[in-house]
Amino acid sequence: MHNYKIIDMTTPQLVHQIKTKKSFLCIGLDVDVTKIPAFLLEKEDPIFEFNKAIIDATHDLCVSYKPNTAFYEAYGIKGWQSLQKTIQYLNDNYPDIFTIADAKRGDIGNTSSMYAKAFFEDLQFDSVTVAPYMGKDSVEPFLAFEGKHTIMLALTSNEGAFDFQTLQTKDKELYKQVLETSKKWENADNLMYVVGATKAEYFTEIRKIVPDSFLLVPGVGAQGGSLSEVCKYGMNENIGLLINSSRGIIYASNQENFAEKARAEALKLQKEMEEIITK
């Protein structure tokens, strides 16, 4: 049985949470059992126990959690159960937190609908990341779910991003074409976009096309992206950014005090964010 969220997270609720917590931090729950504290391996569900401790230690400093589903799928059915327990724990105890299934799904028609059902109805996530390479009919099935958000890959922070995303098509780069086209899709109001922090100079261009949308920004910290640069070019009047940090927070320590150390790292980022918001 699921304890369903009473209300799905709306954009105004997310903005309210950002302003209340003075934070736009998203914490990535990318759990690799070879990196978690050894004492947790004696527990029945080490992955869930690790997540629970991180969540309890950091929930007041962030507005979102983003489990990357690959880190759960890698452990088969048990990993999937750990993911289910994690999202249920979040929904039961911290329902004001915005949850992201980082699954990067992308397929057409009925298949996309089934992926959407898996994350929105069964697991009760607020949002899911999708790849738009197959176009409108691969993304619209996700957008059809009321009260849910679809976070589409726009410009990513990896080296291979330049293979396709910045290629010129007619008179503009492909990623701009993707952004512009997606705005015409049905229920496009439910779209958010992934934009890598290592591409700070691109944010100005992106904001010309999607001035009001939320951007999920990986790549700050471990990947070398600069928080102040991203905010300078990417922030809008509602903040409009979710800055993700995974390894830098969750693996701050592999000792008994790992959750305390994770909190200390999250607090550093939250304080930087508070300063930016108050300015």
Side-chain angles (χ1 to χ4, degrees):
M1 281 298 290
H2 292 286
N3 292 328
Y4 285 118
K5 271 193 168 180
I6 309 303
I7 324 168
D8 289 306
M9 174 73 70
T10 63
T11 305
Q13 283 170 315
L14 178 56
V15 172
H16 174 74
Q17 202 193 163
I18 287 170
K19 290 181 175 168
T20 307
K21 290 181 172 176
K22 295 187 170 53
S23 170
F24 41 100
L25 176 61
C26 168
I27 296 178
L29 299 173
D30 304 352
V31 188
D32 178 345
V33 292
T34 65
K35 290 182 181 168
I36 67 176
F39 78 92
L40 287 175
L41 300 176
E42 294 156 23
K43 307 264 188 189
E44 192 189 338
D45 188 342
I47 293 175
F48 172 68
E49 293 299 337
F50 179 80
N51 282 344
K52 180 178 178 295
I54 296 282
I55 291 163
D56 287 342
T58 59
H59 66 90
D60 58 320
L61 303 174
C62 69
V63 295
S64 178
Y65 288 102
K66 180 179 76 64
N68 183 318
T69 58
F71 286 82
Y72 300 83
E73 292 170 64
Y75 301 108
I77 189 75
K78 283 168 79 172
W80 202 255
Q81 285 164 344
S82 303
L83 177 64
Q84 191 170 31
K85 278 156 78 172
T86 299
I87 188 68
Q88 188 152 359
Y89 185 75
L90 274 166
N91 288 343
D92 288 351
N93 296 282
Y94 308 110
D96 61 331
I97 294 265
F98 185 70
T99 56
I100 301 169
D102 190 3
K104 300 182 183 74
R105 297 297 194 246
D107 209 325
I108 52 170
N110 289 341
T111 314
S112 270
S113 294
M114 289 303 177
Y115 279 141
K117 276 171 83 75
F119 293 109
F120 293 152
E121 287 184 359
D122 181 52
L123 289 171
Q124 286 288 300
F125 274 94
D126 291 311
S127 65
V128 63
T129 58
V130 303
Y133 193 72
M134 291 174 81
K136 176 166 89 164
D137 47 348
S138 71
V139 180
E140 279 187 343
F142 291 93
L143 295 174
F145 283 74
E146 211 177 324
K148 301 291 186 181
H149 296 269
T150 302
I151 310 178
M152 202 173 90
L153 298 175
L155 187 63
T156 54
S157 55
N158 60 310
E159 206 181 315
F162 297 107
D163 288 352
F164 302 120
Q165 294 168 29
T166 53
L167 289 181
Q168 287 286 332
T169 60
K170 296 179 189 156
D171 56 345
K172 58 172 75 77
E173 293 100 320
L174 181 59
Y175 79 91
K176 290 183 183 173
Q177 189 72 54
V178 168
L179 287 167
E180 284 175 9
T181 305
S182 71
K183 288 170 68 178
K184 300 170 190 151
W185 294 342
E186 203 168 341
N187 302 317
D189 287 353
N190 296 340
L191 275 173
M192 296 178 173
Y193 299 94
V194 177
V195 181
T198 48
K199 310 272 190 284
E201 65 279 14
Y202 289 95
F203 278 84
T204 310
E205 294 298 300
I206 287 167
R207 278 299 183 210
K208 286 177 190 166
I209 304 168
V210 286
D212 304 320
S213 302
F214 260 88
L215 308 178
L216 171 62
V217 185
V220 164
Q223 288 180 49
S226 151
L227 178 64
S228 58
E229 287 287 288
V230 168
C231 292
K232 183 178 167 185
Y233 300 111
M235 205 177 248
N236 62 21
E237 59 184 25
N238 281 330
I239 307 301
L241 298 170
L242 291 172
I243 303 284
N244 181 74
S245 176
S246 306
R247 287 166 288 176
I249 292 174
I250 67 174
Y251 297 130
S253 163
N254 63 357
Q255 303 303 306
E256 296 255 347
N257 65 348
F258 73 97
E260 257 170 78
K261 293 288 187 191
R263 179 178 175 82
E265 289 304 316
L267 186 62
K268 280 184 210 167
L269 270 172
Q270 185 274 322
K271 286 294 170 206
E272 279 184 62
M273 290 173 177
E274 184 169 352
E275 208 175 298
I276 290 165
I277 289 175
T278 354
K279 266 184 195 169

